[in-house]
Amino acid sequence: MRRLNIFMVFLIVAYMVSIWNFILMPKYLITLGLKGLLISLVLISLALVLIVLEMESTKRTKYRMYEFFVKSSRTPGVALTLILFLTVVLTVTAYYSSMALVEALNLAREYIILFGILTLLISALLLLMAKGKTLEFISIVSVLFIIFFLAAVIFIRNEAAAQITNESSIIYLKSTIESLKSFNHPITFSSILQILLITFTSLGMGVGFYYILGSFMPEELNTKKIIVGVVILQILLSFAAALAVAYSLGFAHQSYRASFTNLSEAPEKSLNLYKPFNALLKYTTNATAPVRDSIRAVYTIPLVLRMGGVEGASEIVLLLMLSIYFAGLTTIILLIEMGGQAASEVLQLGRRRGIFAVTIISILLLSLMHVEPLKAILLEIPFSIILLMAGIEALPIITTSKAFGEGTKNLAGVIGVMLFLLGLLELYFIFTRGALYTKLGAIVGLIFLIPVVFNSFLLKTRR
């Protein structure tokens, strides 16, 4: 049983420590400093209440997720909405994880879709073949990506100390690191909403994982301690990622400046080095920059290190990008397993067919991301409705007929309503100030909520 408990810890680590901890969280730690961290901790504490209650709901009632939604909370519409949302999150995670693998291997970005499809197929195949060994596999990959990432950060730090000699570049580097410890950054309501979005995204809210996890979690496992421990690990890894961005910014400035002042260098090279420097500069100074721009900035780091002539660039890029890929891979495996379980219960497909259905749908969606506008829309879906999804995910706890007393259900209700209202406010900003693709992503995301609207009808059909 102790062995199972250890595997459960790795399972939660694999899900909660995702690519977004390395790609998006550092931006808010740098641009908002310790104020942003404190706000994030308050938001995390609210999310943790829902996470623990979700796990406890199925753990106490002994129901599987869909059984719980139908028999106890009487919210089958929420289950369908979570499955729809899960497939999009799976697709986006597969795409940007595969982008990290393509960068690690220094291949053209035309290979991203191919690598994404292969990643989905291999993950599904591993789930079907591994059976009882799935937890062992996830545990190994979880350990690998943490080791790779910490090694990459230490490596890039040592090389930065040895190679960044330009005074202006050192100033950029040091000021970015100092931003992590600063209390002087201005906080706006818009930046708070951004922190909220990224916090709930990095915790994996909105796809029903914690309901499924609770259905087979050992009774004696202390979920609260484990979740808190994983969140602390998340924060530490996010700070490490922020340091990697800071060192990359120093390298980017020095490489661009050296190329610009060297008259023998081709102007095209200076321009190609300026673009990633400018992207990283915006990443470290603009808290409300669009998600797409922030993702692009992080994926310019391999270009900065390679084109800038950094010693050990190949090793740094390989470790850094593989760690991001492994972080995504563990999440992908769990999302496919969750989606397969949910689909097998909702559609009565069985586990194998459920996994196959979720994988095929995600592959089809991933193929659409070859078209730039469709890729932008699919990326915006999770970030436009994540707060609504987190609020909706609290609904089964509020309406359940078992497991919790009125006080606990009222607490979940307050948090759920608050998140739902904030989600509506986020939609207001999107439709009044957002770009076209952001608006289209929000519209598609709202379509996913239709099953919740028709929840009463779905209850009648279940009878």
Side-chain angles (χ1 to χ4, degrees), residues 142-278:
S142 297
V143 173
L144 276 177
F145 83 70
I146 292 173
I147 292 173
F148 276 29
F149 185 72
L150 293 178
V153 174
I154 293 170
F155 204 161
I156 195 173
R157 175 186 178 278
N158 293 339
E159 295 303 322
Q163 297 184 50
I164 299 178
T165 56
N166 179 266
E167 290 185 8
S168 299
S169 305
I170 292 172
I171 290 172
Y172 273 110
L173 168 60
K174 288 184 176 179
S175 64
T176 304
I177 294 175
E178 286 298 317
S179 293
L180 290 167
K181 302 179 286 184
S182 174
F183 266 108
N184 298 323
H185 296 290
I187 300 291
T188 64
F189 185 75
S190 180
S191 61
I192 291 175
L193 268 180
Q194 290 289 322
I195 296 173
L196 195 59
L197 291 174
I198 301 307
T199 297
F200 279 81
T201 303
S202 65
L203 291 174
M205 297 293 286
V207 297
F209 170 77
Y210 301 105
Y211 285 110
I212 292 177
L213 184 63
S215 64
F216 61 89
M217 182 169 284
E219 288 288 339
E220 73 280 4
L221 195 66
N222 191 321
T223 56
K224 296 177 183 177
K225 288 183 179 180
I226 290 174
I227 293 294
V228 170
V230 176
V231 168
I232 292 172
L233 177 63
Q234 270 189 319
I235 293 170
L236 292 176
L237 289 175
S238 296
F239 267 103
L243 291 175
V245 171
Y247 300 134
S248 299
L249 179 65
F251 277 123
H253 181 265
Q254 180 166 280
S255 301
Y256 154 66
R257 186 179 181 280
S259 176
F260 184 76
T261 55
N262 187 348
L263 298 180
S264 63
E265 292 278 10
E268 290 80 7
K269 182 177 180 181
S270 299
L271 180 62
N272 289 334
L273 285 169
Y274 172 74
K275 287 179 180 178
F277 163 67
N278 191 49

Side-chain angles (χ1 to χ4, degrees), residues 40 42 84 147 164 213 295 347 349 398:
S40 180
V42 173
L84 291 171
I147 292 173
I164 299 178
L213 184 63
I295 294 172
L347 304 175
L349 294 175
I398 302 166

Side-chain angles (χ1 to χ4, degrees), residues 359-412:
T359 304
I360 292 300
I361 292 171
S362 296
I363 286 174
L364 292 174
L365 290 174
L366 184 63
S367 300
L368 295 177
M369 295 184 78
H370 182 69
V371 181
E372 191 64 32
L374 295 179
K375 181 180 77 173
I377 292 171
L378 283 168
L379 173 62
E380 294 295 347
I381 291 172
F383 295 100
S384 62
I385 64 167
I386 183 65
L387 297 180
L388 289 179
M389 292 301 302
I392 288 171
E393 201 172 76
L395 186 60
I397 301 170
I398 302 166
T399 59
T400 183
S401 58
K402 301 177 182 178
F404 302 115
E406 288 301 317
T408 301
K409 290 197 287 186
N410 290 338
L411 175 61

Side-chain angles (χ1 to χ4, degrees), residues 27-76:
K27 180 173 91 168
Y28 301 104
L29 293 176
I30 294 171
T31 57
L32 301 175
L34 293 179
K35 283 183 183 177
L37 176 62
L38 290 177
I39 293 171
S40 180
L41 290 176
V42 173
L43 301 174
I44 286 173
S45 64
L46 295 177
L48 292 185
V49 172
L50 291 182
I51 288 171
V52 172
L53 291 179
E54 286 175 32
M55 287 192 289
E56 288 294 321
S57 62
T58 47
K59 183 178 175 182
R60 293 182 186 184
T61 57
K62 309 296 183 183
Y63 283 132
R64 293 173 70 86
M65 186 191 83
Y66 192 62
E67 285 182 308
F68 174 78
F69 280 23
V70 173
K71 297 177 181 179
S72 184
S73 68
R74 301 180 64 77
T75 54

